[in-house]
Amino acid sequence: MQLYISDLDGTLLDRNAEITEYTKTALNRLIAKGMNFTVATARTYSSAGRILAGLNLQLPIVLMNGVLIYHPVRHEYEVINTLADADAEKIISLCGEHGLSPFMYLMNGSVMSTAYSKLTNQAMKDFLDERVQKYGKAFIHTDNLTETEGDVIYFCFLDDYEKLAPMQEILSGMPSLKTAFYHDIYGDEWYLEVFSAEASKESGVRYLREKYGFEKITAFGDNLNDLPMFAAADERIAVSNAAEELIKTSHRVIGANTEDGVAKYLEELYNG
């Protein structure tokens, strides 16, 4: 059995962060014919679920760079990777020392919430506004992130490279943590995402391979946070708008995200 797995932003989605009708129709036709297809994204299900509405996915989705794995048919999380309390407290303490303000994601049972203390730049404000207005996501404002309820699973920083690089250097040296540090494809800022060392797009892909018995996995991506997914795949395919580092590690380069590149490649493959 073969699995095709695609990143969302910059890969499967167009410049408006949406799935075009062409891609949706093509993928649904191929899934109905028996193609095994799913996605792996840095997004939560709050936004990814709405983006994917109308796409008849039958397999689990890798969310938040592998922190969560969610089954869209059974409507349940198969995997939840939490951060140790000591690690969460350390990250919050470092935020104060470096003058940074993150979005902090928590789980209460199977319910996710997102907390923040300050919106320190326009990119953070746009990030919050888009998710509230476009996806109906709820955010919790708090003066003290340590007083929130639930298990911490993820931190997301959105700021200038120079401000985030020192934090990235410290956190990447902690063996219990994993980070993703990459340029925002929709703006000039950088993302720094922090989560459990047990989680990654790589571990998410390996989980799907082992649980569902896939013998070959083909991955599609565009950005540096897709490198772990590429590491776990047998075939690595980059869209033409991908970061140069990702293109260098790929077996093939296909059409851009703005050209329905993934869908057209899969149609050609199945119809050829």
Side-chain angles (χ1 to χ4, degrees):
M1 283 202 304
Q2 178 162 5
L3 172 67
Y4 297 93
I5 185 164
S6 176
D7 170 57
L8 286 182
D9 294 272
T11 305
L12 195 68
L13 307 187
D14 63 16
R15 61 170 53 94
N16 298 315
E18 296 174 350
I19 295 181
T20 67
E21 284 303 316
Y22 180 96
T23 286
K24 191 178 296 183
T25 300
L27 290 178
N28 281 338
R29 187 185 304 118
L30 293 171
I31 290 169
K33 286 182 177 180
M35 182 185 72
N36 295 305
F37 181 86
T38 192
V39 301
T41 177
R43 288 180 178 267
T44 68
Y45 192 68
S46 298
S47 59
R50 297 201 179 209
I51 289 169
L52 296 167
L55 191 58
N56 300 326
L57 296 179
Q58 303 298 306
L59 292 165
I61 301 166
V62 178
L63 299 166
M64 302 180 77
N65 290 323
V67 171
L68 303 172
I69 297 180
Y70 181 80
H71 203 300
V73 177
R74 297 202 294 267
H75 304 292
E76 64 183 18
Y77 289 100
E78 290 192 6
V79 175
I80 300 175
N81 288 294
T82 61
L83 285 168
D85 291 343
D87 285 338
E89 291 168 8
K90 174 68 173 176
I91 294 167
I92 293 170
S93 175
L94 286 168
C95 288
E97 294 174 23
H98 290 263
L100 294 171
S101 179
F103 291 108
M104 185 176 78
Y105 294 76
L106 308 103
M107 292 293 288
N108 284 280
S110 61
V111 178
M112 181 189 296
S113 58
T114 307
Y116 71 97
S117 58
K118 297 177 184 176
L119 300 175
T120 57
N121 55 56
Q122 189 60 47
M124 288 186 71
K125 293 173 185 175
D126 293 343
F127 180 97
L128 185 147
D129 288 344
E130 180 192 31
R131 281 151 180 78
V132 170
Q133 295 169 15
K134 195 170 182 179
Y135 307 120
K137 186 175 179 178
F139 286 79
I140 300 166
H141 178 258
T142 176
D143 292 329
N144 190 344
L145 290 175
T146 61
E147 295 179 353
T148 52
E149 293 185 8
D151 296 317
V152 180
I153 59 171
Y154 199 82
F155 286 88
C156 176
F157 297 84
L158 185 54
D159 215 316
D160 296 334
Y161 177 89
E162 292 76 15
K163 292 182 181 179
L164 294 179
M167 179 71 102
Q168 151 71 6
E169 186 175 355
I170 294 169
L171 297 181
S172 63
M174 295 174 61
S176 57
L177 300 177
K178 190 162 286 186
T179 63
F181 190 36
Y182 57 97
H183 187 259
D184 177 17
I185 64 169
Y186 301 117
D188 296 325
E189 288 75 20
W190 280 66
Y191 277 100
L192 171 58
E193 295 158 344
V194 189
F195 39 96
S196 166
E198 300 298 316
S200 67
K201 283 188 177 182
E202 179 178 1
S203 63
V205 170
R206 293 192 191 284
Y207 170 87
L208 294 176
R209 185 194 294 273
E210 291 165 13
K211 178 158 186 180
Y212 294 90
F214 294 113
E215 297 164 354
K216 182 179 179 182
I217 294 179
T218 297
F220 301 88
D222 77 300
N223 214 334
L224 301 185
N225 67 329
D226 294 319
L227 287 170
M229 176 171 66
F230 272 26
D234 303 291
E235 183 180 28
R236 305 181 294 275
I237 299 179
V239 284
S240 61
N241 53 287
E244 188 61 32
E245 188 175 344
L246 202 80
I247 288 177
K248 287 178 180 176
T249 67
S250 67
H251 294 108
R252 180 188 299 267
V253 178
I254 60 173
N257 65 314
T258 54
E259 301 168 344
D260 298 290
V262 173
K264 287 179 178 176
Y265 171 79
L266 290 172
E267 279 188 312
E268 219 173 279
L269 198 65
Y270 265 68
N271 297 330

